mmCIF file of all heavy atoms in Angstrom:
data_model
loop_
_atom_site.group_PDB
_atom_site.id
_atom_site.type_symbol
_atom_site.label_atom_id
_atom_site.label_comp_id
_atom_site.label_asym_id
_atom_site.label_seq_id
_atom_site.Cartn_x
_atom_site.Cartn_y
_atom_site.Cartn_z
ATOM 1 N N ALA A 43 19.666 -135.323 -105.433
ATOM 2 C CA ALA A 43 18.632 -136.361 -105.407
ATOM 3 C C ALA A 43 17.520 -135.934 -104.463
ATOM 4 O O ALA A 43 17.792 -135.278 -103.422
ATOM 5 C CB ALA A 43 19.229 -137.675 -104.951
ATOM 6 N N SER A 44 16.294 -136.250 -104.841
ATOM 7 C CA SER A 44 15.156 -135.860 -104.017
ATOM 8 C C SER A 44 15.019 -136.705 -102.743
ATOM 9 O O SER A 44 14.235 -136.356 -101.873
ATOM 10 C CB SER A 44 13.854 -135.981 -104.848
ATOM 11 O OG SER A 44 13.654 -137.314 -105.236
ATOM 12 N N GLY A 45 15.750 -137.812 -102.677
ATOM 13 C CA GLY A 45 15.730 -138.704 -101.507
ATOM 14 C C GLY A 45 17.043 -139.396 -101.361
ATOM 15 O O GLY A 45 17.922 -139.233 -102.187
ATOM 16 N N LYS A 46 17.144 -140.240 -100.338
ATOM 17 C CA LYS A 46 18.319 -140.955 -100.114
ATOM 18 C C LYS A 46 18.441 -142.126 -101.095
ATOM 19 O O LYS A 46 17.476 -142.826 -101.292
ATOM 20 C CB LYS A 46 18.407 -141.496 -98.651
ATOM 21 C CG LYS A 46 19.624 -142.209 -98.288
ATOM 22 C CD LYS A 46 20.844 -141.311 -98.304
ATOM 23 C CE LYS A 46 22.103 -142.007 -97.896
ATOM 24 N NZ LYS A 46 23.311 -141.142 -97.928
ATOM 25 N N ILE A 47 19.652 -142.260 -101.647
ATOM 26 C CA ILE A 47 19.902 -143.422 -102.487
ATOM 27 C C ILE A 47 20.995 -144.271 -101.814
ATOM 28 O O ILE A 47 22.051 -143.772 -101.484
ATOM 29 C CB ILE A 47 20.415 -142.961 -103.880
ATOM 30 C CG1 ILE A 47 19.357 -142.057 -104.603
ATOM 31 C CG2 ILE A 47 20.768 -144.184 -104.780
ATOM 32 C CD1 ILE A 47 19.832 -141.505 -105.944
ATOM 33 N N PHE A 48 20.685 -145.523 -101.632
ATOM 34 C CA PHE A 48 21.642 -146.436 -100.959
ATOM 35 C C PHE A 48 22.426 -147.234 -101.921
ATOM 36 O O PHE A 48 22.009 -147.500 -103.027
ATOM 37 C CB PHE A 48 20.862 -147.357 -100.034
ATOM 38 C CG PHE A 48 20.171 -146.625 -98.917
ATOM 39 C CD1 PHE A 48 18.855 -146.255 -98.998
ATOM 40 C CD2 PHE A 48 20.807 -146.315 -97.711
ATOM 41 C CE1 PHE A 48 18.196 -145.538 -98.010
ATOM 42 C CE2 PHE A 48 20.181 -145.632 -96.691
ATOM 43 C CZ PHE A 48 18.853 -145.267 -96.830
ATOM 44 N N GLY A 49 23.657 -147.574 -101.550
ATOM 45 C CA GLY A 49 24.477 -148.407 -102.395
ATOM 46 C C GLY A 49 25.025 -147.755 -103.653
ATOM 47 O O GLY A 49 25.195 -148.400 -104.667
ATOM 48 N N VAL A 50 25.278 -146.436 -103.535
ATOM 49 C CA VAL A 50 25.766 -145.743 -104.726
ATOM 50 C C VAL A 50 27.233 -146.150 -104.975
ATOM 51 O O VAL A 50 28.048 -146.137 -104.110
ATOM 52 C CB VAL A 50 25.681 -144.225 -104.513
ATOM 53 C CG1 VAL A 50 26.343 -143.489 -105.695
ATOM 54 C CG2 VAL A 50 24.265 -143.750 -104.329
ATOM 55 N N TYR A 51 27.488 -146.553 -106.240
ATOM 56 C CA TYR A 51 28.882 -146.915 -106.554
ATOM 57 C C TYR A 51 29.477 -146.022 -107.597
ATOM 58 O O TYR A 51 30.692 -146.054 -107.859
ATOM 59 C CB TYR A 51 29.038 -148.367 -106.946
ATOM 60 C CG TYR A 51 28.264 -148.809 -108.140
ATOM 61 C CD1 TYR A 51 28.782 -148.649 -109.421
ATOM 62 C CD2 TYR A 51 27.022 -149.405 -108.008
ATOM 63 C CE1 TYR A 51 28.090 -149.096 -110.499
ATOM 64 C CE2 TYR A 51 26.347 -149.865 -109.141
ATOM 65 C CZ TYR A 51 26.852 -149.685 -110.376
ATOM 66 O OH TYR A 51 26.179 -150.110 -111.475
ATOM 67 N N ALA A 52 28.663 -145.129 -108.189
ATOM 68 C CA ALA A 52 29.211 -144.155 -109.150
ATOM 69 C C ALA A 52 28.265 -143.057 -109.304
ATOM 70 O O ALA A 52 27.046 -143.183 -109.299
ATOM 71 C CB ALA A 52 29.519 -144.838 -110.516
ATOM 72 N N MET A 53 28.861 -141.861 -109.558
ATOM 73 C CA MET A 53 28.072 -140.656 -109.934
ATOM 74 C C MET A 53 28.755 -140.083 -111.112
ATOM 75 O O MET A 53 30.024 -140.023 -111.200
ATOM 76 C CB MET A 53 28.078 -139.628 -108.784
ATOM 77 C CG MET A 53 27.382 -140.081 -107.535
ATOM 78 S SD MET A 53 27.460 -138.721 -106.284
ATOM 79 C CE MET A 53 26.420 -139.389 -105.013
ATOM 80 N N ALA A 54 27.973 -139.618 -112.086
ATOM 81 C CA ALA A 54 28.578 -139.207 -113.341
ATOM 82 C C ALA A 54 27.768 -138.075 -113.981
ATOM 83 O O ALA A 54 26.637 -137.808 -113.622
ATOM 84 C CB ALA A 54 28.640 -140.412 -114.299
ATOM 85 N N TRP A 55 28.426 -137.444 -114.925
ATOM 86 C CA TRP A 55 27.811 -136.468 -115.828
ATOM 87 C C TRP A 55 28.001 -136.938 -117.244
ATOM 88 O O TRP A 55 29.117 -137.358 -117.611
ATOM 89 C CB TRP A 55 28.428 -135.076 -115.694
ATOM 90 C CG TRP A 55 28.080 -134.400 -114.421
ATOM 91 C CD1 TRP A 55 28.771 -134.415 -113.202
ATOM 92 C CD2 TRP A 55 26.893 -133.614 -114.169
ATOM 93 N NE1 TRP A 55 28.073 -133.675 -112.263
ATOM 94 C CE2 TRP A 55 26.930 -133.160 -112.836
ATOM 95 C CE3 TRP A 55 25.812 -133.266 -114.960
ATOM 96 C CZ2 TRP A 55 25.920 -132.398 -112.290
ATOM 97 C CZ3 TRP A 55 24.812 -132.400 -114.388
ATOM 98 C CH2 TRP A 55 24.862 -132.037 -113.107
ATOM 99 N N TYR A 56 26.950 -136.880 -117.988
ATOM 100 C CA TYR A 56 26.950 -137.165 -119.457
ATOM 101 C C TYR A 56 26.484 -135.899 -120.181
ATOM 102 O O TYR A 56 25.931 -134.980 -119.562
ATOM 103 C CB TYR A 56 26.005 -138.324 -119.774
ATOM 104 C CG TYR A 56 26.432 -139.686 -119.316
ATOM 105 C CD1 TYR A 56 26.396 -140.080 -118.010
ATOM 106 C CD2 TYR A 56 26.896 -140.598 -120.251
ATOM 107 C CE1 TYR A 56 26.823 -141.334 -117.583
ATOM 108 C CE2 TYR A 56 27.278 -141.849 -119.851
ATOM 109 C CZ TYR A 56 27.207 -142.200 -118.546
ATOM 110 O OH TYR A 56 27.651 -143.503 -118.179
ATOM 111 N N ARG A 57 26.684 -135.873 -121.447
ATOM 112 C CA ARG A 57 26.152 -134.796 -122.270
ATOM 113 C C ARG A 57 25.766 -135.257 -123.642
ATOM 114 O O ARG A 57 26.275 -136.293 -124.100
ATOM 115 C CB ARG A 57 27.173 -133.675 -122.398
ATOM 116 C CG ARG A 57 28.427 -133.961 -123.228
ATOM 117 C CD ARG A 57 29.394 -132.781 -123.189
ATOM 118 N NE ARG A 57 30.570 -133.083 -123.952
ATOM 119 C CZ ARG A 57 31.666 -132.259 -123.973
ATOM 120 N NH1 ARG A 57 31.689 -131.156 -123.248
ATOM 121 N NH2 ARG A 57 32.707 -132.574 -124.713
ATOM 122 N N GLN A 58 24.852 -134.565 -124.197
ATOM 123 C CA GLN A 58 24.379 -134.927 -125.581
ATOM 124 C C GLN A 58 24.206 -133.624 -126.354
ATOM 125 O O GLN A 58 23.388 -132.792 -126.040
ATOM 126 C CB GLN A 58 23.078 -135.713 -125.531
ATOM 127 C CG GLN A 58 22.661 -136.236 -126.872
ATOM 128 C CD GLN A 58 21.574 -137.253 -126.781
ATOM 129 O OE1 GLN A 58 20.868 -137.393 -125.776
ATOM 130 N NE2 GLN A 58 21.382 -138.064 -127.813
ATOM 131 N N ALA A 59 25.026 -133.539 -127.398
ATOM 132 C CA ALA A 59 24.900 -132.414 -128.306
ATOM 133 C C ALA A 59 23.911 -132.729 -129.433
ATOM 134 O O ALA A 59 23.686 -133.915 -129.719
ATOM 135 C CB ALA A 59 26.273 -132.057 -128.922
ATOM 136 N N PRO A 60 23.376 -131.699 -130.060
ATOM 137 C CA PRO A 60 22.436 -131.964 -131.167
ATOM 138 C C PRO A 60 22.996 -132.902 -132.239
ATOM 139 O O PRO A 60 24.081 -132.656 -132.707
ATOM 140 C CB PRO A 60 22.128 -130.604 -131.698
ATOM 141 C CG PRO A 60 22.350 -129.725 -130.559
ATOM 142 C CD PRO A 60 23.541 -130.302 -129.822
ATOM 143 N N GLY A 61 22.265 -133.940 -132.593
ATOM 144 C CA GLY A 61 22.726 -134.837 -133.672
ATOM 145 C C GLY A 61 23.793 -135.832 -133.227
ATOM 146 O O GLY A 61 24.331 -136.538 -134.111
ATOM 147 N N LYS A 62 24.162 -135.832 -131.932
ATOM 148 C CA LYS A 62 25.168 -136.724 -131.483
ATOM 149 C C LYS A 62 24.702 -137.626 -130.377
ATOM 150 O O LYS A 62 23.645 -137.387 -129.797
ATOM 151 C CB LYS A 62 26.408 -135.935 -130.960
ATOM 152 C CG LYS A 62 27.078 -135.115 -132.035
ATOM 153 C CD LYS A 62 28.386 -134.465 -131.481
ATOM 154 C CE LYS A 62 29.125 -133.705 -132.604
ATOM 155 N NZ LYS A 62 30.387 -133.121 -132.012
ATOM 156 N N GLN A 63 25.433 -138.698 -130.176
ATOM 157 C CA GLN A 63 25.076 -139.623 -129.120
ATOM 158 C C GLN A 63 25.473 -139.060 -127.738
ATOM 159 O O GLN A 63 26.358 -138.231 -127.629
ATOM 160 C CB GLN A 63 25.773 -140.987 -129.326
ATOM 161 C CG GLN A 63 25.262 -141.745 -130.523
ATOM 162 C CD GLN A 63 25.908 -143.180 -130.584
ATOM 163 O OE1 GLN A 63 26.992 -143.388 -130.077
ATOM 164 N NE2 GLN A 63 25.150 -144.091 -131.211
ATOM 165 N N ARG A 64 24.785 -139.547 -126.759
ATOM 166 C CA ARG A 64 25.122 -139.165 -125.400
ATOM 167 C C ARG A 64 26.501 -139.740 -125.045
ATOM 168 O O ARG A 64 26.803 -140.894 -125.344
ATOM 169 C CB ARG A 64 24.089 -139.688 -124.421
ATOM 170 C CG ARG A 64 24.222 -139.149 -123.013
ATOM 171 C CD ARG A 64 23.081 -139.558 -122.072
ATOM 172 N NE ARG A 64 21.795 -139.047 -122.583
ATOM 173 C CZ ARG A 64 20.663 -139.143 -121.898
ATOM 174 N NH1 ARG A 64 20.681 -139.677 -120.701
ATOM 175 N NH2 ARG A 64 19.522 -138.657 -122.377
ATOM 176 N N GLU A 65 27.360 -138.864 -124.427
ATOM 177 C CA GLU A 65 28.663 -139.317 -124.063
ATOM 178 C C GLU A 65 29.000 -139.050 -122.626
ATOM 179 O O GLU A 65 28.463 -138.122 -122.017
ATOM 180 C CB GLU A 65 29.706 -138.594 -124.979
ATOM 181 C CG GLU A 65 29.786 -137.098 -124.760
ATOM 182 C CD GLU A 65 30.876 -136.444 -125.508
ATOM 183 O OE1 GLU A 65 31.775 -137.133 -126.101
ATOM 184 O OE2 GLU A 65 30.974 -135.194 -125.554
ATOM 185 N N LEU A 66 29.859 -139.870 -122.074
ATOM 186 C CA LEU A 66 30.297 -139.669 -120.700
ATOM 187 C C LEU A 66 31.293 -138.517 -120.617
ATOM 188 O O LEU A 66 32.210 -138.455 -121.406
ATOM 189 C CB LEU A 66 30.962 -140.978 -120.230
ATOM 190 C CG LEU A 66 31.524 -140.933 -118.799
ATOM 191 C CD1 LEU A 66 30.432 -140.764 -117.736
ATOM 192 C CD2 LEU A 66 32.307 -142.167 -118.520
ATOM 193 N N VAL A 67 31.034 -137.625 -119.676
ATOM 194 C CA VAL A 67 31.911 -136.490 -119.495
ATOM 195 C C VAL A 67 32.866 -136.761 -118.319
ATOM 196 O O VAL A 67 34.040 -136.565 -118.426
ATOM 197 C CB VAL A 67 31.052 -135.220 -119.185
ATOM 198 C CG1 VAL A 67 31.958 -134.039 -118.855
ATOM 199 C CG2 VAL A 67 30.206 -134.852 -120.361
ATOM 200 N N ALA A 68 32.306 -137.194 -117.183
ATOM 201 C CA ALA A 68 33.142 -137.425 -115.988
ATOM 202 C C ALA A 68 32.396 -138.377 -115.112
ATOM 203 O O ALA A 68 31.152 -138.380 -115.049
ATOM 204 C CB ALA A 68 33.430 -136.132 -115.296
ATOM 205 N N VAL A 69 33.158 -139.182 -114.406
ATOM 206 C CA VAL A 69 32.576 -140.133 -113.438
ATOM 207 C C VAL A 69 33.423 -140.209 -112.196
ATOM 208 O O VAL A 69 34.660 -140.167 -112.300
ATOM 209 C CB VAL A 69 32.398 -141.551 -114.063
ATOM 210 C CG1 VAL A 69 33.716 -142.121 -114.552
ATOM 211 C CG2 VAL A 69 31.735 -142.510 -113.099
ATOM 212 N N ILE A 70 32.790 -140.275 -111.052
ATOM 213 C CA ILE A 70 33.494 -140.434 -109.784
ATOM 214 C C ILE A 70 32.866 -141.706 -109.128
ATOM 215 O O ILE A 70 31.687 -141.819 -108.955
ATOM 216 C CB ILE A 70 33.393 -139.191 -108.896
ATOM 217 C CG1 ILE A 70 34.175 -139.377 -107.592
ATOM 218 C CG2 ILE A 70 31.947 -138.772 -108.650
ATOM 219 C CD1 ILE A 70 34.362 -138.109 -106.830
ATOM 220 N N ARG A 71 33.780 -142.635 -108.756
ATOM 221 C CA ARG A 71 33.296 -143.912 -108.215
ATOM 222 C C ARG A 71 33.405 -143.911 -106.692
ATOM 223 O O ARG A 71 33.992 -143.051 -106.096
ATOM 224 C CB ARG A 71 34.136 -145.030 -108.800
ATOM 225 C CG ARG A 71 33.873 -145.135 -110.337
ATOM 226 C CD ARG A 71 34.759 -146.223 -110.949
ATOM 227 N NE ARG A 71 34.445 -146.356 -112.395
ATOM 228 C CZ ARG A 71 34.957 -145.593 -113.332
ATOM 229 N NH1 ARG A 71 35.781 -144.598 -113.007
ATOM 230 N NH2 ARG A 71 34.606 -145.774 -114.641
ATOM 231 N N SER A 72 32.781 -144.916 -106.082
ATOM 232 C CA SER A 72 32.684 -144.956 -104.627
ATOM 233 C C SER A 72 34.011 -144.949 -103.907
ATOM 234 O O SER A 72 34.216 -144.441 -102.870
ATOM 235 C CB SER A 72 31.833 -146.143 -104.187
ATOM 236 O OG SER A 72 32.440 -147.328 -104.618
ATOM 237 N N GLY A 73 35.039 -145.527 -104.590
ATOM 238 C CA GLY A 73 36.345 -145.545 -103.989
ATOM 239 C C GLY A 73 37.147 -144.225 -104.222
ATOM 240 O O GLY A 73 38.230 -144.077 -103.750
ATOM 241 N N GLY A 74 36.535 -143.297 -104.936
ATOM 242 C CA GLY A 74 37.157 -142.058 -105.193
ATOM 243 C C GLY A 74 37.810 -141.899 -106.575
ATOM 244 O O GLY A 74 38.289 -140.825 -106.929
ATOM 245 N N ARG A 75 37.870 -142.996 -107.274
ATOM 246 C CA ARG A 75 38.531 -142.957 -108.621
ATOM 247 C C ARG A 75 37.685 -142.085 -109.564
ATOM 248 O O ARG A 75 36.470 -142.207 -109.636
ATOM 249 C CB ARG A 75 38.744 -144.321 -109.186
ATOM 250 C CG ARG A 75 39.547 -144.374 -110.472
ATOM 251 C CD ARG A 75 40.084 -145.802 -110.670
ATOM 252 N NE ARG A 75 39.024 -146.751 -110.855
ATOM 253 C CZ ARG A 75 38.607 -147.242 -112.011
ATOM 254 N NH1 ARG A 75 39.131 -146.770 -113.121
ATOM 255 N NH2 ARG A 75 37.669 -148.142 -112.017
ATOM 256 N N ILE A 76 38.416 -141.234 -110.320
ATOM 257 C CA ILE A 76 37.730 -140.297 -111.219
ATOM 258 C C ILE A 76 38.262 -140.500 -112.614
ATOM 259 O O ILE A 76 39.470 -140.679 -112.856
ATOM 260 C CB ILE A 76 37.938 -138.840 -110.783
ATOM 261 C CG1 ILE A 76 37.253 -138.586 -109.408
ATOM 262 C CG2 ILE A 76 37.483 -137.834 -111.847
ATOM 263 C CD1 ILE A 76 37.544 -137.204 -108.833
ATOM 264 N N ASN A 77 37.391 -140.404 -113.599
ATOM 265 C CA ASN A 77 37.753 -140.430 -114.986
ATOM 266 C C ASN A 77 37.041 -139.318 -115.772
ATOM 267 O O ASN A 77 35.907 -138.985 -115.438
ATOM 268 C CB ASN A 77 37.403 -141.773 -115.662
ATOM 269 C CG ASN A 77 38.243 -142.902 -115.104
ATOM 270 O OD1 ASN A 77 37.818 -143.686 -114.251
ATOM 271 N ND2 ASN A 77 39.493 -143.043 -115.604
ATOM 272 N N TYR A 78 37.766 -138.768 -116.723
ATOM 273 C CA TYR A 78 37.211 -137.699 -117.539
ATOM 274 C C TYR A 78 37.354 -138.043 -119.004
ATOM 275 O O TYR A 78 38.222 -138.796 -119.387
ATOM 276 C CB TYR A 78 37.993 -136.394 -117.340
ATOM 277 C CG TYR A 78 37.842 -135.813 -115.926
ATOM 278 C CD1 TYR A 78 38.857 -135.977 -115.003
ATOM 279 C CD2 TYR A 78 36.742 -135.004 -115.625
ATOM 280 C CE1 TYR A 78 38.701 -135.434 -113.723
ATOM 281 C CE2 TYR A 78 36.632 -134.451 -114.333
ATOM 282 C CZ TYR A 78 37.630 -134.692 -113.426
ATOM 283 O OH TYR A 78 37.482 -134.178 -112.191
ATOM 284 N N ALA A 79 36.411 -137.569 -119.824
ATOM 285 C CA ALA A 79 36.591 -137.653 -121.229
ATOM 286 C C ALA A 79 37.823 -136.854 -121.626
ATOM 287 O O ALA A 79 38.079 -135.777 -121.019
ATOM 288 C CB ALA A 79 35.326 -137.122 -121.960
ATOM 289 N N ASP A 80 38.516 -137.290 -122.637
ATOM 290 C CA ASP A 80 39.736 -136.602 -123.036
ATOM 291 C C ASP A 80 39.464 -135.110 -123.414
ATOM 292 O O ASP A 80 40.296 -134.246 -123.156
ATOM 293 C CB ASP A 80 40.373 -137.280 -124.272
ATOM 294 C CG ASP A 80 41.012 -138.594 -123.872
ATOM 295 O OD1 ASP A 80 41.273 -138.850 -122.655
ATOM 296 O OD2 ASP A 80 41.272 -139.403 -124.812
#
């Protein structure tokens, strides 16, 4: 991030392949819980 962001509760990566919808790849939440796409 180019500056400070306050109150962050999740950080994530998404991806979009040609002709497909954007999908969630992985997310990490403020409490540390992580989820991945299968």
